[in-house]
Amino acid sequence: MGPNGSSENEKDNLHHAKDAGVRPVAVAPLDTRQPHMVFDNFNLDVVIKVLASTIFSPFFVVFLPITFLSQTHSTHPSFIFSCVWTALVCCVATWNHIDRVYKSGGNWLFGPKKLNWDEQIVLITGGGSGVGALLAETLAMRNVSVVVLIKDPPKFETDNGNINTYICDVSHYKAVEAVAEQIREEVGDPTILVNNAGVVQGKLLLDLTEEDIHNTFGSNTLSHFWILKAFLPALIRRGMGHVVTMSSVMGVVGAAQMTDYCASKAALISLNQSLRFELDNRYKTPNIHTTLLLPSFIQTDLFSKTILPTSRIFNFFCPPIQPHVIVKRIIENLDQGTSEIIRLPFYTQLSRFLGDGVGVVPSWTRDMIQRIAGADHAMRAYGPKPDAAERLALEKERKKGSGSTDR
């Protein structure tokens, strides 16, 4: 990783800055900011992938009855069970196919038309690092025109001409308005919006300042509204497009020392659902698809100080996610052209039952899972030291000590 050089081209670009202070700049190459991709370790998600391709795959199980029948007779329990299992798997697969067809706006026999990447302009917020940077670099390598919005000037530069980077604080509507006009003039109207920008404070509620709360909701929540207000009208006029919303499983289940973060991500879940209804029923544009991501802990700088259990059992059932896994799923979903809710890794499926808004799982079960996961202590490395809880504990100890002395 080297320092950011100042080239003549950069200086020329800076002279084209508008009065709003929004200017195009260069972005770092991927290998200077991200660790090299690694193969997935053996964990629950690997097991699920294998099962999904075998005993839960209709293309696999249809051969089971034939196999058993060749070895037994038609009244044998193994043959009967294989028929029942095949029918069940095929029914589930048909149900999922109907759901995909409905969400893609396709027909019953043929899948949706593949996305023509040559016609796309992808806008990514928070594209200076982590998932946003990796997604921008991956798409740019496929010769896709990419627009990246970052808050601060980058420390690295790239020679990839497919990436157009602009400095913009997306938490402020006026800044988004200004950069939107510049993007339309210089690049064109984005056809895919990836709202990825986000921050984390990692403080207890009583340690959060007014500025902390404004920053969290500005970056994590309000930025989505400002980007949609600026760029959604062009998608509606075009009648097609895609909106990708980066939320979090923490917006469903919550955890200590993340009150602002969890609340800001929870708002995005409702935003995505309400936007879906508006696009379908008010704007009459079902071909504008929406994707909501609800991942757990992603191994990026944002959560570099997060403390999680290190046991092999925990890592098997609750593995952290590499950024390239998220990027792969986003691109696959854009290719398929469907509106999806993506939960990664597999254990995040439990969030469908654990949240207070659902209330399916008893409180004692939810609290036990929370303790096993260590979720309420994962952010102990963030925030001030001592934090609000520790200060109150010390205050109680001092009062208790002074009371004993008086007696």
Side-chain angles (χ1 to χ4, degrees), residues 270-333:
S270 293
L271 167 62
N272 178 80
Q273 185 174 18
S274 298
L275 176 62
R276 181 72 266 148
F277 290 138
E278 287 192 5
L279 292 173
D280 287 345
N281 303 318
R282 301 304 301 272
Y283 297 115
K284 306 297 183 182
T285 53
N287 287 326
I288 299 178
H289 302 295
T290 56
T291 294
L292 174 68
L293 287 107
L294 299 174
S296 66
F297 170 65
I298 306 175
Q299 290 186 317
T300 61
D301 291 341
L302 194 64
F303 292 100
S304 59
K305 296 187 291 183
T306 303
I307 302 171
L308 295 173
T310 58
S311 67
R312 290 187 177 183
I313 295 178
F314 179 85
N315 287 329
F316 176 81
F317 288 101
C318 307
I321 311 176
Q322 296 289 340
H324 75 270
V325 176
I326 299 292
V327 169
K328 180 181 178 182
R329 285 297 301 273
I330 291 175
I331 294 176
E332 286 177 351
N333 187 237

Side-chain angles (χ1 to χ4, degrees), residues 77-310:
S78 59
F79 173 75
I80 296 174
F81 176 79
S82 66
C83 291
V84 173
W85 179 255
T86 300
L88 179 62
V89 171
C90 290
C91 285
V92 173
T94 301
W95 179 273
N96 290 334
H97 173 71
I98 293 173
D99 189 50
R100 284 193 297 270
V101 168
Y102 175 79
K103 290 185 293 187
S104 67
N107 57 57
W108 299 109
L109 296 178
F110 302 99
K113 185 179 179 181
K114 284 289 185 179
L115 186 67
N116 185 351
W117 286 101
D118 293 336
E119 299 177 354
Q120 307 307 313
I121 299 175
V122 183
L123 182 140
I124 305 172
T125 66
S129 62
V131 172
L134 182 56
L135 178 61
E137 291 285 350
T138 304
L139 292 176
M141 291 172 61
R142 298 175 60 168
N143 293 321
V144 178
S145 181
V146 180
V147 175
V148 174
L149 301 184
I150 57 176
K151 184 176 181 179
D152 301 309
K155 298 178 181 179
F156 308 94
E157 60 184 21
T158 183
D159 295 329
N160 197 319
N162 293 320
I163 297 180
N164 306 273
T165 306
Y166 296 83
I167 297 176
C168 175
D169 186 351
V170 292
S171 65
H172 295 287
Y173 182 49
K174 295 298 182 182
V176 173
E177 274 191 318
V179 78
E181 184 63 29
Q182 188 174 355
I183 291 170
R184 280 191 285 266
E185 293 177 358
E186 299 177 356
V187 184
D189 287 312
T191 59
I192 297 174
L193 309 177
V194 182
N195 282 310
N196 171 72
V199 298
V200 60
Q201 308 295 340
K203 298 180 180 180
L204 292 170
L205 176 61
L206 297 181
D207 286 325
L208 289 168
T209 65
E210 180 181 2
E211 183 180 2
D212 288 335
I213 297 172
H214 279 294
N215 286 341
T216 298
F217 280 88
S219 296
N220 295 4
T221 308
L222 294 180
S223 64
H224 292 244
F225 285 88
W226 307 152
I227 292 295
L228 289 172
K229 283 179 65 65
F231 296 103
L232 185 61
L235 268 65
I236 293 174
R237 287 192 292 268
R238 188 168 178 259
M240 61 181 61
H242 209 125
V243 178
V244 179
T245 300
M246 179 65 76
S247 183
S248 169
V249 69
M250 303 309 298
V252 181
V253 296
Q257 212 163 328
M258 298 188 73
T259 51
D260 57 329
Y261 182 85
C262 294
S264 67
K265 293 298 185 178
L268 298 181
I269 299 174
S270 293
L271 167 62
N272 178 80
Q273 185 174 18
S274 298
L275 176 62
R276 181 72 266 148
F277 290 138
E278 287 192 5
L279 292 173
D280 287 345
N281 303 318
R282 301 304 301 272
Y283 297 115
K284 306 297 183 182
T285 53
N287 287 326
I288 299 178
H289 302 295
T290 56
T291 294
L292 174 68
L293 287 107
L294 299 174
S296 66
F297 170 65
I298 306 175
Q299 290 186 317
T300 61
D301 291 341
L302 194 64
F303 292 100
S304 59
K305 296 187 291 183
T306 303
I307 302 171
L308 295 173
T310 58

Side-chain angles (χ1 to χ4, degrees), residues 365-398:
T365 305
R366 178 202 61 196
D367 293 347
M368 180 181 67
I369 295 174
Q370 195 89 340
R371 284 193 294 272
I372 293 174
D376 293 329
H377 300 280
M379 308 298 289
R380 292 293 290 270
Y382 292 77
K385 300 298 177 188
D387 59 31
E390 294 165 341
R391 294 195 302 271
L392 289 173
L394 290 172
E395 183 180 333
K396 290 181 180 179
E397 287 295 325
R398 285 196 297 267

